[in-house]
């Protein structure tokens, strides 16, 4: 008898009954059933329902759902041993460093060493001079040592850009918020930047490049191919007959959602025909046209599709007689036709030339990767009740041949063009056949005439050695009939070759590849929950155009980090160098004391990070090559700007530090007599006023340096500044805070205590002018030859990375050749040529045809963990018991649990 149990209590050996709509709780073996079909989109990403039978495909996988029919299946694996469980276990991996994190580690180490070295030198120079002066005067003031130590620590604090993590976080957070508007839900913040460095994109076909909806895209009606679907020039008689046939001779249904989308229920190809009915005869009310036709012409006799007949027929009453509608495999049904209805509704004999034209159209559709269905009918002079078990499918009238496919999205070709122009290699990884995949790849622009891209099938790829896979990993443009493990292997191979890899996926079995990739994209509409958990970014609209926008924002984040570094390193180099020179020169009061330095550090780090991290992206970023994994964070252009602007600022500060009192005509302040203190001139106030001027000029130079840092190589630093209101607001706020700090704090007793006093009008104007001069200095600096400066350009870095990649591929090809020679030597002479052909690269595109059962077995065994040998042994035992149990059930069909 049958009993109901929770899915979690099912055990190996249980016999479960499954019907349409049920989710498969564990891996099972099909035993018996009627029209039993499983939707394996959760595991394979393909929306096609898979028929299950004991002979061809008995595997029923956990996580999939039953789309049609009912049946019984024997449980053979549960929990972590099931396919669903194996995939879940692969998601437990330690996250690796992103390319940006790797670069930052090297940069922070370099800056830290520079800051500590400068601090030590400053402290030693001050101590040496203090010892010499103290020995000469005989007075040893220990409090000065504490001041020297404070200054040295301050230099370390200023040298290390604490604002860098803030700039990165702000840039990533700003990009994440903006990417949300572009249909990208970022789950891992670092993925924003990593996508900007991506060099490879392994994309699914179904749902990403295509619309994930089978659609009639071409048809042959009335003896000619219709360029437009639905056909505009057909008579009412022809339209009524064709729509009647497509609506009545179908088990599928359409479900309209509140958001305007249409869900396909049942056979996807039949749903495509139903949608054509709705397009040819739009409904006039809330009831769909195909439903009205079914109500008007109820089914009298139904002959289901079988693999032997390869067609489906439906009989309806037609006055006193019967009309039998037939649809099925085009090459079979078209040969059963003797007449043809033309587009004007007239029926004529199907001549031999016209039959050849129909067969030529079928072949042409097939070459385009379309699935074809032939639609026909015949009128019988007897009632439907008199029809036998075998339908009288002869003397048919041909209505048309439909070409059906999952069409690419309208924006796919443009998105692929943008990505290719940005240096990102786009490849299609799909479970579909090679012909369909290649046709769609060419339509999308992934494959173009003249390139060296390969179209490869999964079985061929899996049979290759590691060296062979590594040799062709970068040349593959289409990987058809692939399993999820193929995507994972391809992703890891590309990462091994130094590429930054992005992967898209929607099925549960895509989760390992999504997790291992540098950036994993899951589809928000068609994706499973496990795929979304494993990914870094969820594409809310399942559209490759959204990935192109993610690349744009990722590059903008990287560019923003570079802009901030260019700005911040100028601040650090000038401040540290100025205090170091002052200490060596014996200046007792450093021009930038501890509090002013920390003030500069606070407003420049925090506000500078916020200003430069929130600039919107420029479309020009998509015309550049990706930064890749090895590009330096500070390139030659940045070093040129940093050195040029730093030399100007340091020169200005040193000139005023040594001769500022004369240049600014700062007198010693006269202090009138008061009480016991006689009238005198306070020259310490003169030093404080000069230090206040240097501090103020230094800040204004940084304000205009921030504007100068908006561009790295471009001369026009004001380009599109009107589109950056946050940047403009922060510049204004920084100037306002600085004016308030100098005038409000410098005019009190606090100012002299921390190293400066308020400034007069002349000093304010001079400081602002010195700051503005930064802009022409930046222009002149950008015109200097790059060969004068250290570092490498992005182009040189890309060329070096490309050369290293070619070297690794060449090494892999050499290993392939060596392995092939070794195999040839060990083989008998008569088999050497065959072995070379099988293992050499020339045989890559050889078609390896296997049964569906063997491919299913390979899918079940491909994704494994470290316990694979033990699992295989147990799985074999379970399978053997399952087969024995199935045979017993066949003898005793009434036994069930």
């Amino acid at each position: 008898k049958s009993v109901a149990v929770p899915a979690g209590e099912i055990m190996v050996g249980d016999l479960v009954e499954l019907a349409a709509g049920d989710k498969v709780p564990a891996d099972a073996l099909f035993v018996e059933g009627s029209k039993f079909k499983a939707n394996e989109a959760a595991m394979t990403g393909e929306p096609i329902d898979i028929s299950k039978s004991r002979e061809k495909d008995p595997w029923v996988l956990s996580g999939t759902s039953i789309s049609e029919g009912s049946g019984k299946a024997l449980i053979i694996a549960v929990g972590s041993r099931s396919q669903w469980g194996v995939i879940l276990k692969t998601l437990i991996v330690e996250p690796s460093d992103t390319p940006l994190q790797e670069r930052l580690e090297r940069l922070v180490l370099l800056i830290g060493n520079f800051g500590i070295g400068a601090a030590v030198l400053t402290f030693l120079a001050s101590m040496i001079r203090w010892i010499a002066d103290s020995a000469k005067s005989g007075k040893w003031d220990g409090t000065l040592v504490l001041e020297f130590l404070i200054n040295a620590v301050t230099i370390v604090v200023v040298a290390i850009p604490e604002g860098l993590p803030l700039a990165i976080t702000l840039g990533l957070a700003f990009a994440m918020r903006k990417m949300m508007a572009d249909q990208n839900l970022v789950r891992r913040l670092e993925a924003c930047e990593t996508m900007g460095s991506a060099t490879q994109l392994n994309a699914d076909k179904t749902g990403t490049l295509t619309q994930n909806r089978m659609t009639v895209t071409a048809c042959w009606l009335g003896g000619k191919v219709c360029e437009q679907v639905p056909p505009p020039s057909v008579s009412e008689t022809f339209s009524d007959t064709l729509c009647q046939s497509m609506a009545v001779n179908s088990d599928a249904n359409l479900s309209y959602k509140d958001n305007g989308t249409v869900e396909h229920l049942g056979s996807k190809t039949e749903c495509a025909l139903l949608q054509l009915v709705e397009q040819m005869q739009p409904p006039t009310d809330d009831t769909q046209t195909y439903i009205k036709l079914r109500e008007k012409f109820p089914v009298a006799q139904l002959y289901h599709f079988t693999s032997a007949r390869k067609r489906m027929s439906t009989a309806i009453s037609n006055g006193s007689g019967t009309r039998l509608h037939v649809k099925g495999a085009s090459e079979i049904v078209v040969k059963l036709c003797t007449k043809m209805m033309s587009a004007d509704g007239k029926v004529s004999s199907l001549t031999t030339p016209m039959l050849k034209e129909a067969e030529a159209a079928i072949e042409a559709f097939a070459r385009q990767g379309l699935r074809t269905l032939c639609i026909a009918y015949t009128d019988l002079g007897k009632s439907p009740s008199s029809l036998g078990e075998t339908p009288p499918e002869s003397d048919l009238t041909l209505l048309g041949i439909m070409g059906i496919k999952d069409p690419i999205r309208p924006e796919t070709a443009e998105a692929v063009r943008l990505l290719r122009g940005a240096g990102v290699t786009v490849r299609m990884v799909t479970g579909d056949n090679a012909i369909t995949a290649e046709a769609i790849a060419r339509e999308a622009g992934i494959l173009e005439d003249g390139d060296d891209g390969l179209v490869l099938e999964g079985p061929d790829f899996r049979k290759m050695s590691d060296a062979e896979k590594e040799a062709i990993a970068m040349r593959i443009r289409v990987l058809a009939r692939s399993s999820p493990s193929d995507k994972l292997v391809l992703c890891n191979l590309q990462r091994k070759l130094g590429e930054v890899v992005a992967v898209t996926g929607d099925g549960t079995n895509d989760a390992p590849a999504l997790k291992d990739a540098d950036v994993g994209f899951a589809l928000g509409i068609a994706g499973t929950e496990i795929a979304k958990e494993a990914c870094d970014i969820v594409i809310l609209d399942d559209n490759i155009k959204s990935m192109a926008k993610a690349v744009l924002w990722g590059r903008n984040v990287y560019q923003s980090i570079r802009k901030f570094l260019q700005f911040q390193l100028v601040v650090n180099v000038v401040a540290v160098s100025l205090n170091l020179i002052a200490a060596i020169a014996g200046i007792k009061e450093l021009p930038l004391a501890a509090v002013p330095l920390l003030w500069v550090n606070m407003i420049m780090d925090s506000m500078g990070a916020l200003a430069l991290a929130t600039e919107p992206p420029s479309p020009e970023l998509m015309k550049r090559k990706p930064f890749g994994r090895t590009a330096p964070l500070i390139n030659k252009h940045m070093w040129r700007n940093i050195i040029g602007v730093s030399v100007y600022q340091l020169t200005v500060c040193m000139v005023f530090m040594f001769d500022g009192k004369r240049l600014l005509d700062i007198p010693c302040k006269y202090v009138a007599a008061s009480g016991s203190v006689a009238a005198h001139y306070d020259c310490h106030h003169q030093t404080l006023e000069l230090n206040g001027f240097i501090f103020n000029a230094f800040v204004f130079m940084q304000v205009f340096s921030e504007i100068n840092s908006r561009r790295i190589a471009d001369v026009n630093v004001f380009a599109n500044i009107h589109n950056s209101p946050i940047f403009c607001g922060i510049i204004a706020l920084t100037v306002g805070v600085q004016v308030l700090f100098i005038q409000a704090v410098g005019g009190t007793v606090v100012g002299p205590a921390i190293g400066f006093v308020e400034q007069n009008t002349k000093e304010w104007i001079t400081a602002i002018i010195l700051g503005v001069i930064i802009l022409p200095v930046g222009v002149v600096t950008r015109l200097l030859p790059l060969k004068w400066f250290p570092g490498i350009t992005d182009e040189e870095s890309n060329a070096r990375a490309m050369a290293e990649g070619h070297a690794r591929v060449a090494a892999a090809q050499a290993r392939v050749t060596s392995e092939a020679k070794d195999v040839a030597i060990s083989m008998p002479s008569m088999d050497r040529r065959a072995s070379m052909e099988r293992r050499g690269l020339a045989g890559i595109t050889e078609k390896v045809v296997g049964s569906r059962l063997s491919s299913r077995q390979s899918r079940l065994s491909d994704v494994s963990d470290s316990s694979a040998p033990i699992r295989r042994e147990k799985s074999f035992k379970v399978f053997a018991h399952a087969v024995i149990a199935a045979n017993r059930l066949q003898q005793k069909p009434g036994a069930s649990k």
Side-chain angles (χ1 to χ4, degrees), residues 163 167 170 560 563-564 567-568 602-614 706 727 730 734:
L170 284 173
S560 297
K563 292 175 186 177
F564 176 76
F567 163 69
Q568 184 65 42
M602 183 182 72
I603 64 172
M604 292 302 158
D605 273 19
S606 305
M607 294 188 177
L610 185 60
L612 293 170
T614 53
E706 195 169 345
F727 180 88
I730 289 175
T734 303

Side-chain angles (χ1 to χ4, degrees), residues 677-848:
V677 179
H680 65 280
Y681 286 95
D682 183 8
C683 289
H684 181 251
H685 184 276
Q686 182 186 39
T687 302
L688 290 176
E689 188 172 346
L690 176 63
N691 286 351
F693 170 80
I694 294 175
F695 166 52
N696 200 32
F698 179 77
V699 169
F700 272 97
M701 285 191 290
Q702 305 321 316
V703 168
F704 288 95
S705 176
E706 195 169 345
I707 298 174
N708 183 65
S709 296
R710 290 189 68 246
R711 294 293 181 265
I712 292 175
D714 299 337
V715 174
N716 184 10
V717 297
F718 290 99
N720 297 320
I721 197 171
H722 59 280
N723 294 327
S724 305
I726 297 178
F727 180 88
C728 297
I730 289 175
I731 292 294
L733 180 63
T734 303
V735 171
V737 170
Q738 177 65 14
V739 170
L740 188 64
F741 187 61
I742 291 291
Q743 294 303 113
V745 178
T748 65
V749 295
V750 178
I754 60 178
F756 66 90
V757 293
E758 60 183 345
Q759 303 288 289
N760 58 38
T761 304
K762 175 185 176 181
E763 291 163 347
W764 272 108
I765 293 174
T766 305
I768 293 173
I769 291 174
L770 291 172
V772 172
I773 294 176
I774 285 285
L775 299 177
V777 168
V779 173
V780 173
T781 300
R782 287 175 172 84
L783 298 177
L784 297 177
L786 281 172
K787 62 182 180 181
W788 294 355
F789 299 92
I792 62 173
T793 64
D794 290 340
E795 291 76 13
E796 291 170 345
S797 174
N798 288 335
R800 185 181 300 177
M802 189 176 296
E804 292 174 355
H806 287 323
R808 284 190 287 264
V809 171
Q813 290 175 338
R815 291 198 301 273
V816 171
T817 305
S818 176
E819 290 176 5
K821 288 180 179 179
D822 293 342
V823 172
I825 292 172
S826 63
M827 294 285 288
S829 59
M830 61 182 296
D831 293 334
R832 288 180 183 176
R833 183 177 177 183
S835 174
M836 289 290 288
E837 288 179 352
R838 181 176 63 84
R839 299 187 61 81
L841 290 178
I844 288 173
T845 57
E846 177 188 0
K847 306 299 180 185
V848 179

